[in-house]
Amino acid sequence: MNPSLPTENSPTTNETPLAGSPAFSPLYQQIKVLVLQSLQQGEWKPGDPIPSEFELAARYKVSQGTVRKAIDELAKNHLLVRRQGKGTFVATHAEQQVQFRFLKLKPDVGDIASQGPAKRDIIDCRRLQASSELAQTLGLLTNDPVLQIRRVLSFGGTPTIFEEVWLPGQPFKGLTAERLRADTGPMYALFETEFGIRMVHAQERIRAVNPSLEQAHWLQVDASTPLLRVERLSFTYQETPMEWRIGVYRTDQHHYMNELN
Amino acid sequence: MNPSLPTENSPTTNETPLAGSPAFSPLYQQIKVLVLQSLQQGEWKPGDPIPSEFELAARYKVSQGTVRKAIDELAKNHLLVRRQGKGTFVATHAEQQVQFRFLKLKPDVGDIASQGPAKRDIIDCRRLQASSELAQTLGLLTNDPVLQIRRVLSFGGTPTIFEEVWLPGQPFKGLTAERLRADTGPMYALFETEFGIRMVHAQERIRAVNPSLEQAHWLQVDASTPLLRVERLSFTYQETPMEWRIGVYRTDQHHYMNELN
DNA sequence: CAGTGGTCTAGACCACTGG
DNA sequence: CAGTGGTCTAGACCACTGC
């Protein structure tokens, strides 16, 4: 009946081989996994349209309603974008509405656009070997090659964010400071267009700190100015960690905005 | 056909009286509004079961699937909780899984329970008149009565959070320091059981600051210790602002955790 | 066992887009 | 106009709960 599906679970009742073992996944969840695999394997690239609901229903041998439920959830997770009358598309960080989806720092007055475009200054981009901690965080081996990017973001002429970004060397082979400086858009958009890597989800840990000397220098503040220190671990499809980032944020004219639901 | 529904929109096509005016709302959205009204008016109280999907379908003269979609969305917003085989219930802040739903501060090691229960020390609870700013924030008039609560939260014996909470006087009439001290659970749970007011959603603005003398005193830190300053505006049903809170958090043994999606 | 929510299907029709 | 996603319905069956 569903030859292309990984597990068969239509008959009378779902087998529960071990007590407490789940061993049951609704069809639409299985469809989600299959779609995710196609996304991960690059069958559909960021910005591309995916097949219509009816085509997918035919491909997976399920009803259109089941495909719909799977896509609904992926769209709510911002992995796909639905456009009525046009189709369903692979989401991208380049879209205007979500330009700064992972940047929660907002100006105290006005919005992010009112101060003109952000100025992005790449300090450097170096090839390093992963420390054991970094390797563990990114799912690498100690001493595996990594890239470290350091940069300053300025809003309205004021340096506001200084951050260090670490990326696994393998998937980002060929990334250089020159390549980064040539680009004026969000870094995450460049990751998608140049390397086909889309950051899907991230978690941040935030503390209040005083800056190091280096941080104070780049942000033009003195050593007693309290700053937000934001650690971010970003994930691509399938919860694969792909980026580690430590930023310090000035909060004299900005604040970190968060919605609790 | 749908006599209990506010607007009729089944016929041939939806009227669009003015260009660009929406003037269309799917049935399930209208059901959502009706359910929200019942929640707001206290027809079903926090913890109560609401009628089954079929009962609601009969009441609103729509199909069960349409009710389902409405309830699905309310459940995803944490306004309702579905329990298979039992029914659908009005969500509450007292549930174990979501005890600290609005508190994003996590210990650096272990979880929130590993340090034993939080110690809640109420400093005072005073009746004040709303400043114009506060009145505007809470949707009151200047000089309307408000309550101000000040308290310290300690984890593992360390005072970690000092916060001031402002509540509108009217809905919280009768709240006193004694009443607050008598309760050992989350403040939001007390709001629900004693006043039938459920905080549904909130937004926070976060900065790094140095403490005031008073804040330094209550948190037992010196004046140069950087702290997180968290402003929180909480809303009850229908996006009605109901609480204004300013807290300062120590982040030497804790961090503010945030998921980006 | 009855009653609840959870999944899946099939089909009808609406709203939006673009050729 | 055809093709897409969006809504709504009706009905079947499964999974879980509690009596």
Side-chain angles (χ1 to χ4, degrees):
Chain A
M1 262 261 159
N2 295 327
S4 59
L5 292 179
T7 63
E8 182 71 350
N9 64 5
S10 30
T12 50
T13 184
N14 256 284
E15 309 174 28
T16 320
L18 293 171
S21 121
F24 166 73
S25 163
L27 258 183
Y28 73 88
Q29 291 286 5
Q30 302 177 36
I31 305 296
K32 265 179 75 169
V33 170
L34 293 175
V35 172
L36 275 168
Q37 286 174 357
S38 290
L39 287 169
Q40 186 188 20
Q41 293 162 13
E43 179 176 346
W44 314 309
K45 296 226 160 20
D48 283 357
I50 72 169
S52 76
E53 295 180 353
F54 279 107
E55 286 178 87
L56 290 175
R59 180 204 289 208
Y60 299 131
K61 305 278 203 304
V62 298
S63 80
Q64 181 249 11
T66 300
V67 169
R68 165 162 281 273
K69 179 144 186 176
I71 292 182
D72 272 349
E73 297 206 351
L74 293 169
K76 282 199 179 113
N77 290 340
H78 305 118
L79 295 172
L80 299 173
V81 175
R82 318 192 77 139
R83 290 196 234 277
Q84 184 172 125
K86 298 172 77 173
T88 302
F89 300 78
V90 182
T92 156
H93 276 271
E95 292 154 44
Q96 200 60 31
Q97 323 92 313
V98 291
Q99 275 268 351
F100 299 96
R101 190 153 70 83
F102 283 1
L103 178 58
K104 311 282 281 186
L105 200 70
K106 312 293 178 195
D108 291 340
V109 294
D111 64 0
I112 200 76
S114 65
Q115 300 169 318
K119 189 151 136 301
R120 300 174 168 90
D121 291 314
I122 305 292
I123 299 169
D124 53 23
C125 175
R126 295 181 292 175
R127 249 138 284 265
L128 303 174
Q129 293 185 305
S131 68
S132 61
E133 296 84 1
L134 180 61
Q136 179 150 4
T137 303
L138 289 180
L140 304 174
L141 299 176
T142 305
N143 293 331
D144 273 359
V146 292
L147 294 172
Q148 186 209 45
I149 302 162
R150 300 192 305 155
R151 66 166 183 174
V152 175
L153 292 191
S154 302
F155 300 103
T158 306
T160 306
I161 296 178
F162 166 72
E163 54 189 4
E164 300 174 293
V165 181
W166 286 268
L167 301 168
Q170 204 77 353
F172 288 94
K173 194 184 298 249
L175 183 58
T176 62
E178 290 64 43
R179 186 66 201 81
L180 285 163
R181 292 198 183 98
D183 200 280
T184 64
M187 198 181 281
Y188 287 131
L190 182 144
F191 291 170
E192 290 171 358
T193 54
E194 297 295 310
F195 303 94
I197 295 173
R198 175 175 160 73
M199 303 301 179
V200 155
H201 159 250
Q203 48 183 225
E204 293 191 333
R205 296 173 178 222
I206 302 164
R207 289 183 165 74
V209 299
N210 284 320
S212 68
L213 284 178
E214 184 189 23
Q215 291 164 348
H217 166 254
W218 289 113
L219 294 184
Q220 297 174 17
V221 296
D222 67 58
S224 69
T225 306
L227 300 176
L228 286 189
R229 173 193 154 95
V230 179
E231 303 175 3
R232 181 191 301 164
L233 181 60
S234 303
F235 299 85
T236 184
Y237 301 116
Q238 317 275 50
E239 295 293 293
T240 310
M242 260 298 169
E243 180 203 55
W244 172 246
R245 192 183 281 226
I246 295 183
V248 282
Y249 297 3
R250 283 180 62 166
T251 57
D252 45 346
Q253 297 184 83
H254 294 75
H255 56 271
Y256 186 101
M257 187 79 180
N258 197 20
E259 299 280 337
L260 311 181
N261 287 301
Chain B
M1 263 264 158
N2 295 328
S4 58
L5 291 179
T7 63
E8 181 71 352
N9 64 5
S10 30
T12 49
T13 186
N14 257 283
E15 309 174 27
T16 320
L18 294 170
S21 122
F24 166 72
S25 163
L27 258 184
Y28 73 88
Q29 290 285 4
Q30 301 177 36
I31 305 295
K32 264 180 76 170
V33 170
L34 294 174
V35 171
L36 275 168
Q37 287 173 358
S38 290
L39 288 170
Q40 185 187 23
Q41 292 160 14
E43 179 178 344
W44 313 308
K45 298 228 160 14
D48 284 357
I50 72 170
S52 76
E53 295 180 351
F54 278 107
E55 287 178 86
L56 289 175
R59 181 205 287 209
Y60 299 132
K61 306 277 201 304
V62 298
S63 80
Q64 181 247 13
T66 300
V67 169
R68 165 161 281 273
K69 178 143 185 176
I71 292 183
D72 271 350
E73 298 207 350
L74 293 169
K76 283 203 178 108
N77 291 339
H78 306 117
L79 296 170
L80 299 173
V81 175
R82 318 193 78 142
R83 290 196 235 277
Q84 181 172 118
K86 298 170 78 172
T88 302
F89 300 79
V90 183
T92 158
H93 276 271
E95 291 154 46
Q96 200 60 31
Q97 322 90 315
V98 290
Q99 275 267 343
F100 298 96
R101 191 152 69 84
F102 283 1
L103 177 58
K104 312 282 281 185
L105 199 70
K106 313 292 178 197
D108 290 340
V109 293
D111 64 359
I112 200 76
S114 65
Q115 299 169 318
K119 187 150 135 302
R120 300 174 167 89
D121 291 314
I122 305 293
I123 299 169
D124 54 21
C125 175
R126 294 181 293 175
R127 250 139 282 268
L128 303 174
Q129 293 185 305
S131 68
S132 61
E133 296 83 2
L134 180 61
Q136 180 149 2
T137 302
L138 288 180
L140 305 173
L141 299 176
T142 305
N143 294 331
D144 273 359
V146 292
L147 294 172
Q148 186 210 46
I149 302 163
R150 301 192 304 155
R151 67 167 183 173
V152 175
L153 293 191
S154 301
F155 299 103
T158 306
T160 306
I161 297 179
F162 166 73
E163 56 188 3
E164 300 174 295
V165 182
W166 286 267
L167 301 168
Q170 204 77 352
F172 287 94
K173 193 182 299 248
L175 183 58
T176 63
E178 290 64 42
R179 185 69 199 79
L180 285 163
R181 291 197 184 99
D183 200 281
T184 64
M187 197 182 281
Y188 287 132
L190 182 145
F191 292 170
E192 291 172 358
T193 54
E194 298 294 309
F195 304 95
I197 295 173
R198 175 175 160 74
M199 304 301 180
V200 156
H201 159 247
Q203 47 185 224
E204 293 191 331
R205 294 173 179 224
I206 302 165
R207 287 182 166 74
V209 300
N210 284 320
S212 67
L213 284 178
E214 184 189 23
Q215 291 165 349
H217 167 254
W218 290 114
L219 293 183
Q220 298 175 18
V221 296
D222 67 57
S224 68
T225 307
L227 300 176
L228 285 189
R229 172 192 155 95
V230 179
E231 303 175 4
R232 181 192 300 165
L233 181 60
S234 303
F235 300 84
T236 183
Y237 300 116
Q238 316 276 50
E239 294 292 292
T240 310
M242 260 297 169
E243 181 203 54
W244 172 245
R245 192 183 281 225
I246 295 183
V248 282
Y249 298 2
R250 283 180 61 167
T251 56
D252 44 347
Q253 297 184 83
H254 295 75
H255 57 271
Y256 185 102
M257 186 78 181
N258 197 20
E259 298 280 338
L260 310 182
N261 287 302

